[in-house]
Structures are given as C-alpha cells and as structure tokens.
Amino acid sequence: MIKWLIKYGAVIFLFNTVLLSIKSTFDLGNQIFLAIMGIFTIFLLINPKQIKIVIFHKAFSFLLIINSLNLLYFILFHSVSDIEAIKYLLARAMQFTIISISIYFHFDYYKTQFLNHIASLVLFIVILSLLFYPNVFSGRYEGIIWNSNMLASFIVIAFSILLLKNNDISLRDYILLFFLLVIALATGSRGALVGIAICIGLKYGFSLRNIVYTLVAFSIYFIVSSINLETSLNRFAEQSIFNDRIEQAFFAIENINNSLFSGYGLNEYSGLPKDISLPNRFKGQIMTSHNGYLSIFLQYGVVFGGLILGLIFVKAFQMISFFRVSNNTEKVFIFIIIYAFVSSIYETLITGINEFHTILFWFSLAFLSYSKFKKEYEN
C-alpha cells in the first residue's frame, strides 16, 4: 500500500486539486490533502536514508535551496507561534518531497503514462460538466468547477498534452482538440487563448501550417467577437487581457513598498495580505494582485523574493535550453513551464500549494531536471 502511494503520490496530490476545485467535494479534498501529508510524513520518518538520497540529489537541489530559504525566512521574520506560517513551511517542503520521491522512484511511469492520465481526467471533467450543465454558451462556462478560469486552465493543459505529446496526431486527437478548444472559448478565459497560442507555436513554429492556422483563428475571432456572447474571444475583443489587472498590480506594488525587505509572511501568498485594509476607492472590488511575481514579493519581500524568483528563472532557462529541440513528453513539460510564466503575469500562480497548474509547474521543473541528469550521466 505504501509503495503504491509513493509511486502515485504526485498523481494523487495533483488530482486532489480537482476535488478542491469543486464546491461539493471541497471538504473531501481537504481531508485527502491532510491524509497525504500524514502518510508521507510517516514514510519520511521510517525511511530516512532513502529520503536523504532523494532530497540531496543533484537534480532536486533547487527545491532544497528553496526550502532552505523558506526556513531561513521563517527564522528571521516569524516566531513559533505563527501557526499559519509553519503550515505553509511544512506544506511546501512536503509538496517538493512528494514530487521528488515520485519522480526518483518511478520515473518511467511519469515519462510515459502520467500525461495521458491527466488528459483523460480533464476530458472526464469536461464530459461530466456537460452532463450536469449543458448550456455551454449561457454566460462564462464553468461546468462543475467553481471557477471558469480554473476550468480553462485544466483544458489548456489537456490540449497541450494531446497536441504536443505525440509526433503524429490522429483523427480522434483532432476531434478532441477541437472539442476542448470550444469549451475553452466558452469559459471566457482570455488566458486560455494565450495558452493555446503558445502551445500551437511550440508545435509548429513559423511553418506554413501555422500561418494558415493563424489566419483561420483570426477569422473565427472576428466572427465570434461580433456575436453577443461571453466567450474568451468576446472578452478579448472587449478588453485586453491586462485591462482589469493594472489597478490591482499598482495596489500590490504600493503594498510591497510598505514592507519592502521583510514582506508580509510565508502564509501571505494569495496576493493580498490579510492585514492590509482596502482604501475606500477599492471597496467592493477584488484587489488581490493576480500576479505571481508580485505575490512572491508581497510574501517574501524583495530580497528573499528576488532570490527565489532568480533561482526559478535560472532553473527554467537551463531546462528550456537543454530540451529546446525535444519532442513528446519533454515538450509538454516545457509548455507547462512557459505557460506558467506567462500566466503568472495576470494570475497568482507558482506561490500556492493546492493549485493544479502550480503543482504541475514545480513537477515539470523537477522532472526535466532529473531527466537532464539521467541523459547526461547515461552518456
């Protein structure tokens, strides 16, 4: 049982975010999350030698450095009475440990089957959503998921897997890609358009086929945007992707300046620290930063935030450079990293614990790092 949980630990941890994204299963998701933390804590205690090998492995050293920076930050700016900060510190450490252990001991599964299982899960979510909520174009479609942007994030990841994982795309795959594209548009998520565009760019580059696809996409864009709907295309036509984020970003920068070096604490990763009072001009508005980079500076301050972001960017650059001409699995993980960087401009990604794309971002960096290590040392 323990061996099975260790093998699929990252899968369970990731898939549980779906339960946390559905209102009716949110409490169940919380219980499963706590159970995962408990089981892996026991595993760490009874297998210290094996865990030491994984945690201190060269491929996962960047995760160890981030955990060390978190611990140092806690020592400098928190006390043992800051329970929420302790929860974040332990949850982040456990998140990285689960990812590292799963990859190290069961690399072949995550290389060959993991992505297919993600795509199947997302297709199941979409089909289930259509069964319960068939009115796709009556407002922004969210299906069984609590937020339309979250549903769009699931769909874009599945879209990238179907498009990038295999060199040859079957008729079935093209049908599924079109199906996912339609639902993505129905969510009204402008970020979904950006993600799909990046995905197509990675697949085809600046080929003639890509130019044709671009012309077709623009034709669809102009047709759909002229219809009174709330699809992604309509929202993109009515306002830019950053239109409703600029004011939030300026407010976040103002708050960063108020706690420039110390930040607001490890547990303040949402983009709006709880101790900040909204000025009257923002009453009734959602003023979280909706920016992963600003959220990190709010959380850590400019020194620790800068170190962590610098480490992330360096690691990502190394992976993208090494796998730039890769195909299949590696290309999907490269997409997930690039898409996370772009999405973090207008969404609070990278910072949290139980968010689908954020977990996949960290997993992708760790998987590619270990894959790079294996390729270099096998040669």
Side-chain angles (χ1 to χ4, degrees):
M1 180 65 176
I2 293 293
K3 185 177 180 180
W4 184 88
L5 287 172
I6 297 307
K7 178 178 180 179
Y8 296 108
V11 181
I12 299 168
F13 192 60
L14 177 69
F15 284 14
N16 188 54
T17 63
V18 175
L19 296 179
L20 292 168
S21 301
I22 302 172
K23 292 178 181 178
S24 60
T25 59
F26 179 81
D27 291 335
L28 174 62
N30 264 331
Q31 295 302 315
I32 293 176
F33 170 73
L34 293 174
I36 294 170
M37 295 294 106
I39 291 170
F40 269 87
T41 299
I42 295 172
F43 179 77
L44 294 180
L45 294 174
I46 63 178
N47 297 280
K49 291 183 179 180
Q50 287 181 300
I51 299 307
K52 183 179 178 181
I53 293 172
V54 177
I55 291 177
F56 290 96
H57 193 284
K58 180 181 178 181
F60 306 125
S61 60
F62 73 103
L63 299 178
L64 178 63
I65 294 171
I66 292 175
N67 278 331
S68 300
L69 288 171
N70 282 339
L71 179 59
L72 179 59
Y73 179 93
F74 180 86
I75 293 171
L76 292 175
F77 300 110
H78 285 288
S79 68
V80 292
S81 62
D82 293 332
I83 302 301
E84 294 303 315
I86 293 174
K87 286 181 180 178
Y88 178 88
L89 183 68
L90 295 177
R92 177 64 90 194
M94 193 59 67
Q95 180 191 57
F96 287 169
T97 302
I98 290 171
I99 289 172
S100 302
I101 289 173
S102 296
I103 293 171
Y104 183 84
F105 287 112
H106 300 285
F107 177 79
D108 289 338
Y109 163 77
Y110 289 99
K111 183 179 178 64
T112 60
Q113 300 180 56
F114 178 52
L115 293 175
N116 292 334
H117 291 163
I118 292 176
S120 297
L121 173 67
V122 174
L123 286 169
F124 175 75
I125 292 170
V126 174
I127 292 171
L128 198 62
S129 294
L130 292 173
L131 289 175
F132 284 96
Y133 304 97
N135 297 322
V136 176
F137 292 106
S138 59
R140 296 188 61 188
Y141 189 70
E142 57 189 36
I144 61 173
I145 305 300
W146 73 274
N147 180 279
S148 55
N149 288 331
M150 179 61 70
L151 178 60
S153 178
F154 291 152
I155 291 172
V156 171
I157 297 299
F159 187 95
S160 71
I161 293 169
L162 292 173
L163 186 64
L164 299 176
K165 190 173 185 295
N166 300 312
N167 292 327
D168 299 321
I169 303 177
S170 65
L171 176 61
R172 171 183 172 275
D173 289 334
Y174 276 118
I175 293 172
L176 290 175
L177 284 168
F178 179 76
F179 171 64
L180 290 174
L181 176 62
V182 171
I183 303 301
L185 293 176
T187 64
S189 170
R190 292 160 288 174
L193 293 180
V194 175
I196 290 171
I198 295 171
C199 185
I200 293 173
L202 283 176
K203 178 69 175 181
Y204 299 112
F206 294 100
S207 65
L208 177 61
R209 179 186 295 182
N210 206 18
I211 294 172
V212 172
Y213 284 165
T214 301
L215 293 175
V216 171
F218 272 110
S219 300
I220 296 173
Y221 170 81
F222 286 117
I223 293 171
V224 176
S225 62
S226 64
I227 304 173
N228 186 26
L229 297 173
E230 289 189 63
T231 68
S232 302
L233 294 177
N234 294 97
R235 296 185 74 234
F236 209 105
E238 292 168 2
Q239 50 189 304
S240 77
I241 194 167
F242 306 111
N243 187 64
D244 53 355
R245 301 291 194 242
I246 295 174
E247 201 169 45
Q248 296 163 346
F250 279 120
F251 184 59
I253 293 170
E254 179 183 324
N255 292 322
I256 290 170
N257 288 330
N258 291 334
S259 189
L260 192 62
F261 295 105
S262 62
Y264 290 87
L266 290 177
N267 53 303
E268 299 293 354
Y269 56 87
S270 67
L272 182 63
K274 62 179 183 297
D275 293 335
I276 293 175
S277 299
L278 289 179
N280 289 330
R281 68 183 187 279
F282 295 139
K283 294 295 184 182
Q285 298 184 44
I286 299 174
M287 291 307 297
T288 53
S289 66
H290 281 95
N291 183 295
Y293 310 113
L294 293 177
S295 295
I296 286 176
F297 286 126
L298 282 166
Q299 183 182 15
Y300 292 99
V302 295
V303 177
F304 277 85
L307 287 172
I308 289 174
L309 282 176
L311 180 62
I312 292 171
F313 282 127
V314 168
K315 191 64 180 180
F317 179 78
Q318 291 173 346
M319 296 305 101
I320 294 171
S321 298
F322 187 85
F323 292 103
R324 65 185 182 279
V325 293
S326 64
N327 292 312
N328 307 329
T329 300
E330 287 85 3
K331 183 168 283 188
V332 177
F333 288 126
I334 289 295
F335 165 78
I336 290 170
I337 292 169
I338 294 173
Y339 183 38
F341 281 140
V342 175
S343 298
S344 292
I345 299 173
Y346 50 84
E347 293 292 351
T348 307
L349 290 181
I350 301 177
T351 62
I353 303 296
N354 275 316
E355 198 279 325
F356 186 79
H357 194 178
T358 295
I359 295 173
L360 272 179
F361 169 78
W362 292 113
F363 182 93
S364 299
L365 282 177
F367 177 89
L368 292 177
S369 183
Y370 187 65
S371 181
K372 177 176 179 289
F373 175 86
K374 287 175 68 69
K375 289 178 184 293
E376 288 177 339
Y377 281 84
E378 284 174 357
N379 295 332

